Amino acid sequence: MFYLLSTVILVFSVMTITTPKVLRSAVYLLFVLIATAGLYFLLNYEFLAAVQITLYAGGIVVLIIFSILLTSHISHKLARPAPWKLWSAAISLIVGIPLVLWIILNHTFQQSANEVPVDMKLIGTQLLGTGKNGYVLPFELISILLLASMIVAIVIAKKDKEDKQHN
Amino acid sequence: MADYSYTLLIILIPFFVFLLLGLFGNRWKPMVSGWIGTTGLGVAFILSLITAYQYFFAGAGEAYSKIVPYDFVWLSFTDTLQIHMGILLDPISVMMLVVVTTISLMSHWFSLGYMKGEVGFERYYSFLSLFTFSMLGLVVAPDLFQMFIFYELVGASSFLLIGFYYQKPSAVAAAKKAFIVTRFADFGFLVGILILAYFTNTYDFATLTKPGTTIFANAAGITFMGASAISWAMGLIFVGAAGKSAMFPFHIWLPDAMEGPTPVSALIHAATMVVAGVFTVARLFPVYYFQTPDVLILVGYVGGFTSLFAAVIAITQHDIKRVLAFSTLSQIGYMMVGLGVSHYGGEEGLGYMASMFHLFTHAMFKALLFLGAGSIIHAVHSNMMQDMGGLRKYMPVTHITFLVAALAISGIPPFSGFFSKDEILAAAFQTNKLLFYTEYITAGLTSFYIFRLYFNIFWGKDRKYEHTPHESPMVMKIPLIFLALAAAFVGFLPFHELVTSDMKPFETVTHWNLVIASVSIGVLGIGFAWFLFKKENSKPAAIAQWFGGLYTITYHKFYIDEIYLFVTKKILFNLVSRPIAWFDRHIIDGFMVGVGTVTVKTSDKIKGFQSGNLQQYAFAFVAGALIIVLSLLYYIG
Amino acid sequence: MIQGISIYHFLIVSSLMFFIGIAGFIIRQNLITILLSIELILNSVAINFLVFNRYLYPDQLQGHFFSLFIIGVAAAEASVAIALIINIYRRIHGINTDDVNEMKH
């Protein structure tokens, strides 16, 4: 199962960044995200998998697809990237991947064998807890961040009158 | 113990009036603001009288105790070093409550007529209330720090009032001068109380002024430049007091402060703010007397010198308000002398009592003189003595009240000034002969210059006026009459039973020889003035001629202002500020400009790297991260 | 802990995914596809967090919460980015990165 999901992830990741059509690339990303959610299931993090599917796959990708539809035509094909970009990407990959893999494979992890099931109640109490292992502060932070970004998004995307006259 | 909780209202009412007028004053008709201010102060005045009655006369106790109706810790540094905010009632603060509210009420009332139709009428009243609030807060302060806070508030509100005619450059300059000079002196005050608190670990007056206290033991043996630490502290506190009281050499702000409206001069520069310094010294009198008698002697000499010096200048001035300003200086000098020659307790503490007594009577008659002057200025539209003369026919009420005040300040019995001044002279006679003779001469000069003023205004040449001077309206006459009655009769108050250094009443002995001597020199001064100024003649000019250069020097106030200007402009600005400015302009600025230029040039050169292309940046970022990882691996691994 | 699959398997997958994201970021022309690449990168990091959490410290939940917060931040970032993209599109009628270089001066 893991190998199947990994293959899906890698193949569709590559296709996401190579397909010339923007809309398709978004759809491929959707597959990648769903496969990632599958990995979460494998790791027994059901809640996070559900969040991944609903929020990422359901929310963000839909948002992106909407914006694609707003800004370009479906049939529109992207031009081939400039050579210097290909070169620099190739350099990053050729240097980066072996480096990281080498580091990872050379490191011995102290694996822990005990298996603790993660239940929803634990997640809930820890997320809103203030004591040890409590995450209420980052939780509040992220809620403020979300609010701020929502307002920012509205302000930026709003058409103001001056722009209307220009366009 | 009797209930004094209402005393808080005395302080708070002016404050709320200030807020009310400051915030909403411009929405009402000006007169409404005026009446609100006056009514508020009237209530405070009545409450102060009740307090005084309850404190002095209702209790049958022998010695007056210190009563603290309100007290809370505002800031606590250690167990003993705390800043309190509260109210302390003892004889001098109760007396000051009465003085401040009385004079303030009279000024408020008088201003209803005097300031009528002025632009910013409600602003004027809100400032007056603010000033009254600060002054009341000062006199009831239970510790040094509250006193200091209100010292500053008093300075700030007097700045606002002096600069009330802020369109006039001279008024603005005077306001700035007053503020800067007193602020400078207040700095001394602050340093003084910090030193004091450092050694004694307390700000509290009750702890500090307890006779025989041991809290000063910490400072024993610590000296700096030949004087002990406590001497320095008390000396610096006296500097603050001298600044507020316009003692020499801080006196320069007071004559200029006459640019403010005349009722303000009556309130601030005659009765309240300028005696704040005297009050401070009196408040700390036991500390001065027991710990630092050397500073107390200094207080006496500064007071004596200022009183003589100011009286001499007052003789030559032509602006009636300036005459009164210098007269104020002179009288405050008297009070300082009274404190300086005093001992602690009983009959020996005569000077202290006399000083407070003089403070009280002086507030009444000097406020009356100022309000009278205001009434005259209101009628003649000029400050200058040359523009006046023969006014007694036109302004009978002003004339009579002014005469009462003039007799009071000259020390003619039975008017109030006689009693207080005579006691100061008696105290000085017992302790310090030099100060006694100084004050004795000053007494003669005082009666001379004040009657010079009187004769020049109300007698002298009969002149034609462009528009006939008229007596002031009723609203201005009532305060004049009230104060005239006060100036005439407060001398009969048994002060030696009420306000004494150790808060125990004592019996005074009348020294008849001194009484006769002081009255005779007063009469002599009056007679001389009568001889010179009763009718217009050439005698004063001849005498001025005869004194020649001396007259000119005196007329220019001994060039003290010029000396200050010389010191600040020529010495400070040229020798200190110029080089610093040059250094700033050429070295510091040059350096900054150089840095800026180099940055601009460098950025011009490297701007080419900034293509604005996102992906180039991304690649640079990734490459940088990879390089860092690689180098870390290389060095660590 | 999955039988037969070690932590290395997961890490290899996630790091490959990370570099694919980087490559996409560098080569793509369209701002929206760049955004997609960023999502890939974020996702790979989230996987890493979870894997470390599961394999190394299964009795705690730090990695889990970090992934959760990453998803939240990604949502915020996507919304702002899309708003910006739409605004840019209105101004210059195109969202190619080569056109968006007016800030260089």
Side-chain angles (χ1 to χ4, degrees):
Chain A
M1 192 65 192
F2 168 76
Y3 294 108
L4 179 68
L5 287 172
S6 317
T7 322
V8 170
I9 285 176
L10 292 179
V11 170
F12 281 111
S13 296
V14 173
M15 286 173 75
T16 304
I17 65 161
T18 49
T19 176
K21 289 189 178 171
V22 185
L23 194 57
R24 279 196 192 167
S25 120
V27 175
Y28 294 145
L29 179 75
L30 183 62
F31 293 148
V32 174
L33 296 176
I34 290 172
T36 316
L39 279 188
Y40 296 169
F41 272 119
L42 273 188
L43 288 166
N44 270 339
Y45 289 121
E46 286 87 3
F47 174 66
L48 203 65
V51 169
Q52 170 90 359
I53 290 174
T54 51
L55 227 161
Y56 240 123
I60 297 178
V61 172
V62 169
L63 197 64
I64 288 172
I65 289 173
F66 265 119
S67 68
I68 291 170
L69 293 179
L70 271 175
T71 55
S72 44
H73 300 288
I74 297 177
S75 58
H76 180 72
K77 284 194 177 180
L78 293 174
R80 281 194 62 79
W84 68 264
K85 286 184 181 170
L86 288 176
W87 279 116
S88 48
I91 292 170
S92 319
L93 294 189
I94 289 165
V95 179
I97 292 176
L99 178 68
V100 171
L101 289 185
W102 184 77
I103 293 172
I104 289 172
L105 294 176
N106 267 328
H107 189 271
T108 326
F109 291 99
Q110 304 259 314
Q111 301 202 6
S112 167
N114 56 338
E115 187 81 2
V116 180
V118 181
D119 62 334
M120 272 310 295
K121 205 177 164 189
L122 186 65
I123 294 173
T125 47
Q126 290 210 0
L127 192 59
L128 292 179
T130 50
K132 189 172 177 289
N133 288 335
Y135 285 87
V136 74
L137 193 66
F139 179 77
E140 291 295 335
L141 211 67
I142 210 114
S143 49
I144 289 174
L145 178 73
L146 278 172
L147 175 66
S149 64
M150 212 142 69
I151 294 169
V152 165
I154 291 169
V155 168
I156 291 177
K158 202 181 65 166
K159 259 188 188 166
D160 45 22
K161 274 179 187 160
E162 230 176 328
D163 273 6
K164 241 177 210 167
Q165 284 163 358
H166 277 295
N167 292 350
Chain B
M1 188 182 285
D3 180 27
Y4 285 103
S5 50
Y6 56 84
T7 46
L8 190 64
L9 282 179
I10 303 177
I11 319 288
L12 289 183
I13 286 174
F15 182 63
F16 284 120
V17 169
F18 158 66
L19 287 184
L20 196 66
L21 296 184
L23 292 175
F24 306 113
N26 50 2
R27 308 215 181 142
W28 303 317
K29 282 187 184 152
M31 264 301 148
V32 179
S33 309
W35 279 109
I36 288 176
T38 313
T39 315
L41 242 239
V43 175
F45 170 66
I46 291 165
L47 287 175
S48 307
L49 283 187
I50 294 172
T51 312
Y53 177 77
Q54 195 179 349
Y55 190 82
F56 286 125
F57 301 109
E62 288 290 301
Y64 299 109
S65 51
K66 292 190 180 189
I67 297 170
V68 182
Y70 279 94
D71 186 33
F72 71 91
V73 178
W74 184 54
L75 260 185
S76 171
F77 298 111
T78 66
D79 285 343
T80 51
L81 187 62
Q82 294 169 329
I83 297 180
H84 291 255
M85 296 296 259
I87 293 177
L88 168 68
L89 293 181
D90 68 352
I92 53 172
S93 69
V94 172
M95 180 199 81
M96 284 301 289
L97 276 183
V98 175
V99 170
V100 173
T101 49
T102 311
I103 306 300
S104 182
L105 176 64
M106 291 307 136
S107 291
H108 273 77
W109 202 332
F110 189 82
S111 305
L112 287 176
Y114 186 81
M115 298 296 287
K116 197 171 180 179
E118 295 273 358
V119 180
F121 192 77
E122 70 286 337
R123 180 165 58 92
Y124 172 79
Y125 268 92
S126 72
F127 288 166
L128 268 190
S129 300
L130 176 65
F131 175 81
T132 312
F133 160 70
S134 346
M135 195 63 211
L136 290 170
L138 195 160
V139 298
V140 298
D143 74 15
L144 270 169
F145 219 91
Q146 185 185 342
M147 196 171 199
F148 176 72
I149 291 167
F150 282 99
Y151 241 65
E152 294 298 326
L153 262 178
V154 165
S157 47
S158 95
F159 168 79
L160 293 172
L161 282 170
I162 295 170
F164 178 72
Y165 296 118
Y166 58 87
Q167 295 93 341
K168 263 168 69 183
S170 61
V172 175
K176 276 193 289 193
K177 192 171 178 183
F179 188 71
I180 291 168
V181 172
T182 55
R183 186 65 197 77
F184 180 75
D186 286 348
F187 180 68
F189 191 84
L190 179 63
V191 175
I193 61 177
L194 291 182
I195 297 176
L196 198 64
Y198 179 76
F199 286 114
T200 61
N201 237 349
T202 181
Y203 287 120
D204 190 32
F205 282 133
T207 320
L208 283 171
T209 58
K210 200 183 291 167
T213 180
T214 54
I215 52 172
F216 294 99
N218 286 338
I222 298 170
T223 55
F224 177 69
M225 281 168 61
S228 73
I230 294 297
S231 292
W232 273 101
M234 299 312 286
L236 285 168
I237 290 177
F238 176 63
V239 166
K244 274 280 177 292
S245 285
M247 287 292 98
F248 182 86
F250 294 113
H251 66 279
I252 51 164
W253 67 269
L254 187 58
D256 286 19
M258 295 300 138
E259 288 290 344
T262 311
V264 169
S265 309
L267 174 61
I268 298 184
H269 310 119
T272 50
M273 175 175 167
V274 290
V275 297
V278 180
F279 176 78
T280 310
V281 177
R283 171 62 92 207
L284 289 168
F285 183 73
V287 186
Y288 278 109
Y289 183 69
F290 290 113
Q291 308 299 331
T292 59
D294 42 349
V295 180
L296 196 57
I297 293 170
L298 175 77
V299 171
Y301 281 116
V302 168
F305 178 72
T306 310
S307 68
L308 181 62
F309 169 82
V312 172
I313 296 177
I315 293 176
T316 58
Q317 297 299 306
H318 288 304
D319 183 329
I320 57 173
K321 282 178 75 182
R322 284 191 179 233
V323 175
L324 293 178
F326 280 105
S327 155
T328 306
L329 287 179
S330 172
Q331 299 301 310
I332 292 166
Y334 264 102
M335 299 170 205
M336 288 290 185
V337 169
L339 289 172
V341 298
S342 179
H343 292 280
Y344 187 81
E347 168 82 49
E348 296 281 282
L350 180 67
Y352 179 91
M353 182 281 275
S355 170
M356 290 297 104
F357 195 12
H358 197 58
L359 193 162
F360 188 72
T361 57
H362 170 257
M364 300 299 165
F365 60 69
K366 186 50 66 64
L368 175 56
L369 283 172
F370 267 111
L371 292 185
S375 173
I376 295 159
I377 293 167
H378 192 64
V380 186
H381 302 289
S382 166
N383 280 7
M384 304 312 283
M385 230 185 270
Q386 294 94 319
D387 299 337
M388 302 166 187
L391 280 175
R392 69 184 184 285
K393 291 172 214 153
Y394 303 104
M395 311 175 71
V397 175
T398 310
H399 171 222
I400 297 297
T401 51
F402 201 89
L403 179 62
V404 169
L407 287 172
I409 197 175
S410 305
I412 305 297
F415 297 102
S416 58
F418 160 72
F419 297 94
S420 53
K421 195 181 267 187
D422 186 55
E423 271 157 4
I424 289 183
L425 286 174
F429 187 74
Q430 288 166 1
T431 318
N432 192 323
K433 291 286 190 294
L434 175 66
L435 280 178
F436 168 73
Y437 287 116
T438 315
E439 294 315 296
Y440 188 67
I441 295 166
T442 309
L445 291 175
T446 305
S447 60
F448 174 70
Y449 68 68
I450 206 75
F451 273 90
R452 166 176 173 266
L453 190 65
Y454 167 75
F455 284 122
N456 261 325
I457 295 173
F458 292 104
W459 298 74
K461 59 201 173 205
D462 286 327
R463 47 173 297 154
K464 293 273 174 277
Y465 291 95
E466 278 179 39
H467 24 247
T468 319
H470 52 89
E471 182 59 275
S472 303
M474 204 42 154
V475 73
M476 287 161 72
K477 269 189 278 185
I478 291 173
L480 287 178
I481 294 168
F482 181 90
L483 281 174
L485 291 175
F489 298 116
V490 289
F492 294 104
L493 281 176
F495 247 68
H496 52 89
E497 289 174 11
L498 304 177
V499 182
T500 56
S501 53
D502 55 355
M503 302 200 285
K504 296 187 188 73
F506 65 89
E507 284 304 314
T508 46
V509 188
T510 316
H511 306 275
W512 284 108
N513 49 347
L514 284 176
V515 170
I516 291 166
S518 68
V519 171
S520 56
I521 196 165
V523 172
L524 188 70
I526 296 172
F528 198 52
W530 183 77
F531 169 69
L532 287 179
F533 300 110
K534 172 78 168 39
K535 287 261 160 52
E536 191 178 20
N537 55 43
S538 60
K539 279 174 278 181
I543 291 177
Q545 191 75 39
W546 188 64
F547 276 111
L550 197 60
Y551 178 84
T552 322
I553 292 173
T554 316
Y555 180 70
H556 288 111
K557 302 165 234 166
F558 291 107
Y559 295 104
I560 296 288
D561 275 289
E562 281 73 11
I563 291 171
Y564 272 102
L565 269 183
F566 178 78
V567 169
T568 50
K569 274 229 171 95
K570 291 274 154 49
I571 298 179
L572 269 180
F573 286 0
N574 278 355
L575 296 184
V576 182
S577 302
R578 279 274 170 77
I580 292 177
W582 184 87
F583 183 77
D584 185 58
R585 201 167 301 132
H586 291 92
I587 311 288
I588 309 272
D589 281 13
F591 178 69
M592 292 303 166
V593 169
V595 169
T597 319
V598 169
T599 312
V600 168
K601 293 237 168 92
T602 320
S603 65
D604 264 353
K605 292 274 187 314
I606 63 171
K607 212 156 60 176
F609 293 133
Q610 310 279 318
S611 65
N613 191 302
L614 188 64
Q615 280 133 341
Q616 263 188 22
Y617 298 164
F619 175 63
F621 177 70
V622 171
L626 288 177
I627 289 168
I628 289 173
V629 172
L630 275 175
S631 49
L632 279 179
L633 277 180
Y634 180 75
Y635 283 113
I636 298 169
Chain C
M1 180 79 72
I2 307 163
Q3 214 58 45
I5 311 287
S6 75
I7 188 169
Y8 296 105
H9 291 76
F10 277 100
L11 291 181
I12 290 167
V13 171
S14 76
S15 50
L16 285 178
M17 193 175 167
F18 181 82
F19 276 98
I20 292 169
I22 285 182
F25 192 96
I26 294 177
I27 61 173
R28 296 313 292 255
Q29 300 280 40
N30 190 304
L31 281 175
I32 289 179
T33 47
I34 286 179
L35 188 60
L36 297 180
S37 310
I38 293 175
E39 302 295 346
L40 278 179
I41 295 173
L42 284 172
N43 233 312
S44 71
V45 174
I47 291 176
N48 262 13
F49 269 116
L50 273 183
V51 168
F52 284 136
N53 194 167
R54 170 55 76 208
Y55 277 84
L56 303 184
Y57 307 99
D59 45 348
Q60 289 174 4
L61 279 176
Q62 270 103 336
H64 179 268
F65 282 120
F66 257 103
S67 305
L68 205 57
F69 290 136
I70 285 173
I71 294 174
V73 170
E77 168 252 327
S79 66
V80 174
I82 285 170
L84 280 169
I85 289 169
I86 290 177
N87 210 356
I88 290 171
Y89 178 74
R90 277 207 209 108
R91 293 206 179 203
I92 62 173
H93 293 278
I95 46 173
N96 277 357
T97 52
D98 297 336
D99 305 335
V100 192
N101 55 8
E102 281 175 22
M103 293 242 297
K104 79 175 171 184
H105 296 303

